[in-house]
Amino acid sequence: MSAQILSGKELSAEIRTQLKQRVAELKQEKGITPGLAVIQVGDDGGSTIYVNNKEKACAEVGIYSEVNRLPEETTQEELLALVEQYNKNPKIHGLLVQLPLPSHIDETEILKAINPKKDVDGFHVQNAGSLFTGLPGLIACTPKGIIKLIKKSGIDLTGKNAVVIGRSNIVGKPVAILLLNENATITICHSKTKNLPDVCAQADVLVAAIGRPEFVTKEFVKPGAVVIDVGTSRVDGKLKGDVKFDEVSEIAGYITPVPGGVGPMTITMLMENTVDAGEMYG
Amino acid sequence: MSAQILSGKELSAEIRTQLKQRVAELKQEKGITPGLAVIQVGDDGGSTIYVNNKEKACAEVGIYSEVNRLPEETTQEELLALVEQYNKNPKIHGLLVQLPLPSHIDETEILKAINPKKDVDGFHVQNAGSLFTGLPGLIACTPKGIIKLIKKSGIDLTGKNAVVIGRSNIVGKPVAILLLNENATITICHSKTKNLPDVCAQADVLVAAIGRPEFVTKEFVKPGAVVIDVGTSRVDGKLKGDVKFDEVSEIAGYITPVPGGVGPMTITMLMENTVDAGEMYG
């Protein structure tokens, strides 16, 4: 293998050390301890793991955290009332409702109800609009973490071809806008794209956010490219990315592993957003 | 010349006929006449022409309109107070503040103050965020008009390569998202893009929104492509687009003229947004 590994685990550890410092300063200088509230409805196994990891990460950097585990049958009104409480709670600077929600609850309504200044997931329409139009705001964690990983490679994105596979609101579209902000030429591909391998093979930076294990083979990759793997599918009990790591790592210049790449960055960016919110609006 | 002309003038006339009908029905069925308020600060010559054209277009389709021409020295507070009045005025369904504003007024603050439900320019961060994330909302007029022109060509955008030159909040970025919503593969280029003619020459649909007269030559264009020219620069008293019409029209499949292409569509979409707002929120 020739590619250098872009380790999200390592970069996360560095950033968390800085965050610990910022949390300590914020406490000392303004008497503010940044606080994160997480609401989980129902007991989806994946969600429970994510929520636990978020709680641990808070403890690690010194963020105060509250986790609410509500029963599956919680009504939309009850959930909205809890969101409203946290919107007003001065101890809480970041609030997130773990998705997916049970089908009887309207996700869009819940996301809209979160105070945009506490919306550390960056999913509120106002934060999405701010990102899209270049205004300040809280930026979604996965795209934000991806940009930090790419920058870690040291490449200058100006004028580079960046290709994103996937057009979700959580990853594909926002990461494309962030790459555009870095002066890359951006292309968004998806299930309807023709000649997908050829389009991707022109990319200096390739972001795979499709959710299909090992979909991106070496035919998709320009020699020396930066390859970011956002996928996490469980196959026969093993975590697989969207990129066929063994063969792609032979020709890419930089590549993120799965696990240990984008995943840890997402949680660390959630911590960073909470500290940002504490500093800006605390 | 081989390209077919995509006439915004003709398509506008068709749409205005439909709008006249919708305005009449809205009046008859709900007693609502859609109303548009336009605020102009200062006497920029270009703005005055645009504002006059908007007023005429309202009269043509039966929209009630009010135009406020405020002196250059109007303060931000005075302007905000007027915006607030119109936000509450039930006769007004669409409100726009003509840009650019004098430099002593903060445009972002003014745009933020407009009720998103009356924001017929689609510039409010909430409408930008809704467009970006696929929620319903008022869509910026020029991108909306461009999509209608492209559809007029009859081509199915699914899987097509659409390349946008320009990354403004008013045209480049939103038109790219609208093309993505139509299942095109989208690329956004700009001043930092390398090998721009080659990237553009792969486009089945090429949107030029740069503001540099006759910048797009035949080297940029794939034979048979749909070429949309958003530029309007005045050169020696003549209106010029971003596309070198004479040579590009020899090889394109469809092309918009300047004038008479995107321009008339923009004003017509403003009328459509006002009627939409009247129907939805009236």
Side-chain angles (χ1 to χ4, degrees):
Chain A
M1 102 153 227
S2 70
Q4 290 192 48
I5 297 291
L6 289 172
S7 167
K9 210 172 154 187
E10 276 177 38
L11 182 54
S12 277
E14 289 173 29
I15 295 172
R16 288 188 191 189
T17 303
Q18 297 159 8
L19 287 176
K20 224 182 273 189
Q21 185 61 29
R22 281 171 62 192
V23 169
E25 282 169 15
L26 190 59
K27 199 168 182 176
Q28 199 173 18
E29 288 165 20
K30 296 196 189 170
I32 293 167
T33 299
L36 176 70
V38 179
I39 305 174
Q40 182 185 354
V41 183
D43 51 5
D44 175 82
S47 292
T48 301
I49 294 171
Y50 287 130
V51 169
N52 289 343
N53 287 342
K54 287 167 188 176
E55 213 174 357
K56 270 187 236 164
C58 283
E60 187 189 332
V61 302
I63 292 173
Y64 167 75
S65 73
E66 286 185 17
V67 174
N68 291 264
R69 293 189 176 80
L70 305 180
E72 178 82 18
E73 58 274 18
T74 304
T75 66
Q76 176 152 329
E77 290 62 39
E78 288 166 338
L79 182 54
L80 283 171
L82 185 59
V83 166
E84 209 33 62
Q85 263 182 43
Y86 277 122
N87 280 343
K88 289 180 193 148
N89 184 338
K91 279 168 68 182
I92 295 303
H93 305 89
L95 167 60
L96 78 85
V97 179
Q98 185 69 38
L99 303 181
L101 288 167
S103 58
H104 66 276
I105 296 179
D106 182 344
E107 262 179 32
T108 308
E109 284 305 308
I110 303 299
L111 295 181
K112 250 170 57 181
I114 294 172
N115 179 347
K117 293 182 175 178
K118 298 191 177 188
D119 169 43
V120 282
D121 256 345
F123 293 166
H124 191 282
V125 67
Q126 189 178 307
N127 283 316
S130 295
L131 172 66
F132 187 49
T133 58
L135 294 170
L138 290 162
I139 296 171
C141 301
T142 302
K144 198 178 174 187
I146 288 170
I147 296 295
K148 296 217 178 193
L149 274 169
I150 295 172
K151 287 192 168 177
K152 186 74 183 168
S153 74
I155 80 154
D156 176 9
L157 284 162
T158 301
K160 293 290 191 302
N161 282 333
V163 175
V164 178
I165 324 177
R167 52 174 160 172
S168 73
N169 287 333
I170 319 185
V171 185
K173 286 191 277 183
V175 84
I177 294 297
L178 291 172
L179 288 161
L180 185 64
N181 291 349
E182 299 287 336
N183 293 318
T185 300
I186 59 141
T187 298
I188 304 181
C189 300
H190 45 79
S191 56
K192 300 290 198 297
T193 294
K194 284 172 190 154
N195 308 318
L196 183 62
D198 296 345
V199 176
C200 293
Q202 298 179 40
D204 302 303
V205 175
L206 181 62
V207 179
I210 327 154
R212 289 170 69 174
E214 302 192 325
F215 180 78
V216 173
T217 55
K218 63 178 190 303
E219 289 73 26
F220 287 66
V221 179
K222 179 175 169 175
V226 178
V227 178
I228 305 290
D229 189 348
V230 190
T232 49
S233 308
R234 204 158 278 280
V235 180
D236 300 330
K238 243 192 108 178
L239 212 55
K240 293 272 181 197
D242 287 345
V243 176
K244 202 159 186 176
F245 186 87
D246 289 349
E247 63 178 60
V248 170
S249 61
E250 292 295 330
I251 55 168
Y254 297 86
I255 190 167
T256 60
V258 175
V262 173
M265 289 301 290
T266 297
I267 292 198
T268 297
M269 290 304 101
L270 179 68
M271 300 301 112
E272 186 173 284
N273 278 349
T274 305
V275 178
D276 284 349
E279 289 177 346
M280 288 192 291
Y281 312 121
Chain B
M1 101 156 230
S2 69
Q4 290 191 48
I5 297 291
L6 289 172
S7 169
K9 212 173 151 187
E10 276 176 36
L11 182 54
S12 277
E14 288 173 30
I15 296 172
R16 288 189 191 188
T17 303
Q18 297 159 7
L19 288 176
K20 224 183 273 188
Q21 183 62 29
R22 281 172 61 193
V23 169
E25 283 170 15
L26 191 59
K27 199 168 181 178
Q28 200 175 15
E29 289 166 16
K30 296 196 188 169
I32 293 168
T33 299
L36 176 70
V38 179
I39 305 176
Q40 182 186 354
V41 184
D43 51 6
D44 175 82
S47 291
T48 303
I49 294 171
Y50 287 131
V51 170
N52 288 344
N53 287 341
K54 287 166 187 176
E55 214 176 355
K56 269 187 237 162
C58 284
E60 188 189 331
V61 302
I63 292 173
Y64 167 75
S65 73
E66 285 185 19
V67 175
N68 291 264
R69 293 189 175 81
L70 304 181
E72 179 82 18
E73 58 273 17
T74 304
T75 67
Q76 177 152 328
E77 290 63 38
E78 288 166 338
L79 183 54
L80 283 171
L82 186 59
V83 166
E84 210 32 65
Q85 262 182 42
Y86 277 123
N87 280 345
K88 291 181 191 148
N89 183 338
K91 278 168 70 182
I92 295 302
H93 305 89
L95 167 61
L96 77 86
V97 178
Q98 185 69 39
L99 302 180
L101 288 167
S103 58
H104 65 274
I105 297 179
D106 182 344
E107 264 178 30
T108 308
E109 283 305 309
I110 303 298
L111 294 181
K112 251 171 57 181
I114 294 172
N115 179 346
K117 292 183 175 178
K118 297 191 177 188
D119 168 43
V120 281
D121 257 345
F123 293 166
H124 192 283
V125 68
Q126 189 179 308
N127 283 317
S130 294
L131 173 65
F132 188 50
T133 58
L135 293 171
L138 289 161
I139 297 170
C141 301
T142 301
K144 198 178 175 189
I146 288 169
I147 297 294
K148 295 217 178 191
L149 274 169
I150 295 171
K151 287 192 168 175
K152 186 73 183 170
S153 74
I155 77 155
D156 175 8
L157 284 162
T158 301
K160 293 292 190 301
N161 282 334
V163 175
V164 177
I165 323 177
R167 52 175 161 172
S168 72
N169 287 333
I170 320 185
V171 184
K173 285 190 278 183
V175 83
I177 295 298
L178 290 172
L179 287 162
L180 185 63
N181 291 349
E182 299 288 336
N183 293 319
T185 299
I186 58 141
T187 297
I188 304 182
C189 300
H190 45 80
S191 56
K192 299 292 196 296
T193 294
K194 284 172 189 155
N195 307 319
L196 183 61
D198 296 345
V199 177
C200 294
Q202 296 179 41
D204 301 303
V205 174
L206 180 62
V207 178
I210 328 155
R212 290 171 68 175
E214 302 191 324
F215 180 79
V216 173
T217 54
K218 63 180 189 302
E219 289 73 26
F220 287 65
V221 179
K222 179 176 170 175
V226 178
V227 178
I228 305 290
D229 189 347
V230 189
T232 49
S233 309
R234 205 159 278 278
V235 181
D236 300 331
K238 244 192 108 178
L239 212 58
K240 293 271 181 196
D242 287 347
V243 177
K244 203 159 185 176
F245 186 87
D246 289 350
E247 62 179 62
V248 170
S249 61
E250 293 295 331
I251 54 168
Y254 296 86
I255 190 168
T256 61
V258 175
V262 173
M265 289 302 290
T266 297
I267 293 198
T268 298
M269 290 304 101
L270 180 67
M271 301 300 113
E272 187 173 283
N273 277 348
T274 306
V275 178
D276 284 350
E279 289 176 348
M280 288 191 291
Y281 312 121

